[in-house]
Amino acid sequence: MSDNQAIHRAAEIIRRGGIVAFPTETVYGLGADAFHPLAVARIFEVKRRPYFDPLIVHVANPSKVEELAKEIPSNAKKLIERFWPGPLTVVLLKEEDIPDIVSAGLPTVAIRMPNHPMALALIKECECPIAAPSANPFGYLSPTTAEHVRDQLGDQVDLILDGGPCPVGVESTILSFLEEKPRLLRPGGVSLEEIESVIGEVEISPIKQDRPSAPGMLPRHYAPRTPIVLDWDEKHLDSYKDKRIGFLAFQEPENFLKFQHIEVLSKKGDFREAAANLFSAIRRLDALDLDLILAEAFPEAGLGRAIMDRLRRATSKEE
Ligand code: TXA
Ligand code: MG
């Protein structure tokens, strides 16, 4: 089947109320017609995702936002103009007709226009916005290849569109416009610095909250089965010497321990390349039946912030 034929079939499935996994520039999504509550409910079932966790609505044209949101603050407009299509999600007050299951009963809706030819062609062809979370079981790492989706959700979805590896590799940046000052709910593919260069200072939500406004903000999220340790110290490496250890390195590591396996995220030290490789590298380590994974810390700047956010959530002991 050619890509065009596959997109055609996928659109047909979505129009009939089915669910389709599709590539975006960030991670693979699991999509349904945003205005078909039963189809959206199946996404929650397949992912075992709690119903209090709302979905992002994907559009193929910025003008669609006017139909989905009550109002678009000028800062949101500026960012949409600058970064769409791209890894930026805006949270706005929603129009009444968006089904509650999509917004989890909140008065708001999260919207983004992905920068991936297959995703855009799919949305255009089904002629409806597509509600889609990342195509992984709830709480696990997001998939960045069609293979990842097949491994974990394979027979439970109606079709998987294969667009190869996702070029960005971490999820979209989520910004909320409900308060006077825009608020960063999740760092992601568009860096905070890039956003602030367009609209000035934004508020930053801390990871730990009693009642998260985005469950992607739950401390333990994006977690592999193998424990990941981020706060390790060379001084303590002796205590790990009888263990099977994997190492998640930014660049080439110095060889001070016999690691079972090493994953290098970017030999040349490029944050973009590191982000694009992050989830695949963790999955490869997670498949090796290791006792633990030591991860190297990234500087908290640019994409390093999104990478550190995902690593922290993957290491958190709390459920
Ligand atoms: O890059 C991405 O954003 C990917 C691709 C597939 O587009 N999607 C993605 O979706 O990461 P998901 O569902 O795995 O994460 C979306 C996050 C969740 O943490 C959810 O709680 C939050 O967005 N969210 C959705 N609607 C929201 C809303 N109305 N207010 C606050 N947070 C919201
Ligand atoms: Mg997700």
Side-chain angles (χ1 to χ4, degrees):
M1 212 178 2
S2 73
D3 280 359
N4 279 342
Q5 286 169 320
I7 290 166
H8 197 67
R9 243 181 82 189
E12 194 65 41
I13 290 170
I14 287 191
R15 270 200 300 266
R16 292 209 195 111
I19 60 175
V20 168
F22 63 99
T24 79
E25 80 281 32
T26 57
V27 301
Y28 276 72
L30 180 58
D33 176 352
F35 287 98
H36 195 310
L38 276 179
V40 176
R42 227 180 109 207
I43 293 178
F44 281 86
E45 272 164 38
V46 165
K47 277 192 57 116
R48 298 175 192 277
R49 178 177 176 116
Y51 286 96
F52 62 74
D53 193 355
L55 305 186
I56 296 175
V57 176
H58 297 70
V59 298
N61 191 319
S63 66
K64 278 278 168 204
V65 179
E66 286 158 38
E67 295 166 30
L68 300 169
K70 277 221 165 86
E71 50 185 341
I72 314 168
S74 66
N75 280 335
K77 271 194 194 127
K78 281 186 201 156
L79 293 176
I80 286 172
E81 266 167 35
R82 172 75 179 75
F83 296 111
W84 280 14
L88 173 76
T89 297
V90 296
V91 174
L92 305 170
L93 277 178
K94 78 176 187 86
E95 279 294 357
E96 312 299 338
D97 59 348
I98 296 175
D100 276 339
I101 189 165
V102 170
S103 59
L106 295 173
T108 58
V109 60
I111 311 171
R112 92 174 187 98
M113 177 177 173
N115 187 16
H116 194 291
M118 272 190 154
L120 292 172
L122 175 65
I123 302 165
K124 279 185 192 140
E125 196 166 331
C126 37
E127 296 183 323
C128 61
I130 294 185
S134 51
N136 52 282
F138 183 71
Y140 196 69
L141 302 167
S142 297
T144 53
T145 66
E147 187 88 66
H148 294 163
V149 182
R150 228 170 277 132
D151 286 350
Q152 291 192 300
L153 302 178
D155 50 354
Q156 302 177 74
V157 305
D158 298 324
L159 185 88
I160 301 172
L161 280 178
D162 191 341
C166 301
V168 174
V170 290
E171 300 84 346
S172 61
T173 303
I174 306 182
L175 267 190
S176 161
F177 292 88
L178 303 183
E179 300 154 83
E180 199 157 337
K181 227 184 199 179
R183 177 178 288 277
L184 180 73
L185 296 183
R186 177 176 77 181
V190 177
S191 73
L192 184 63
E193 291 85 346
E194 289 174 284
I195 287 167
E196 292 190 328
S197 76
V198 178
I199 59 168
E201 210 193 342
V202 306
E203 300 281 348
I204 298 175
S205 288
I207 287 191
K208 286 187 184 174
Q209 290 194 330
D210 291 342
R211 211 183 137 273
S213 51
M217 300 173 71
L218 290 170
R220 187 168 171 81
H221 210 82
Y222 315 106
R225 280 171 292 268
T226 318
I228 295 193
V229 178
L230 192 54
D231 296 323
W232 50 277
D233 192 309
E234 273 178 60
K235 288 191 295 245
H236 304 135
L237 284 181
D238 255 5
S239 59
Y240 296 137
K241 71 172 181 293
D242 299 327
K243 298 219 152 71
R244 288 165 50 85
I245 297 178
F247 192 69
L248 185 63
F250 178 22
Q251 292 176 266
E252 216 73 68
E254 294 163 40
N255 231 346
F256 39 71
L257 241 201
K258 282 207 171 58
F259 297 113
Q260 213 75 31
H261 187 80
I262 297 174
E263 286 287 339
V264 177
L265 292 175
S266 171
K267 275 203 172 117
K268 55 177 193 276
D270 177 52
F271 281 19
R272 285 192 186 279
E273 188 180 33
N277 289 329
L278 182 68
F279 290 148
S280 284
I282 297 177
R283 275 173 193 264
R284 282 191 292 273
L285 287 167
D286 203 21
L288 294 177
D289 213 13
L290 300 163
D291 293 316
L292 83 162
I293 298 167
L294 297 186
E296 199 167 14
F298 278 70
E300 298 269 352
L303 275 181
R305 196 176 275 108
I307 295 172
M308 280 303 278
D309 172 81
R310 304 306 186 269
L311 285 175
R312 274 201 200 94
R313 290 179 213 277
T315 61
S316 169
K317 303 265 182 317
E318 294 158 57
E319 282 296 335

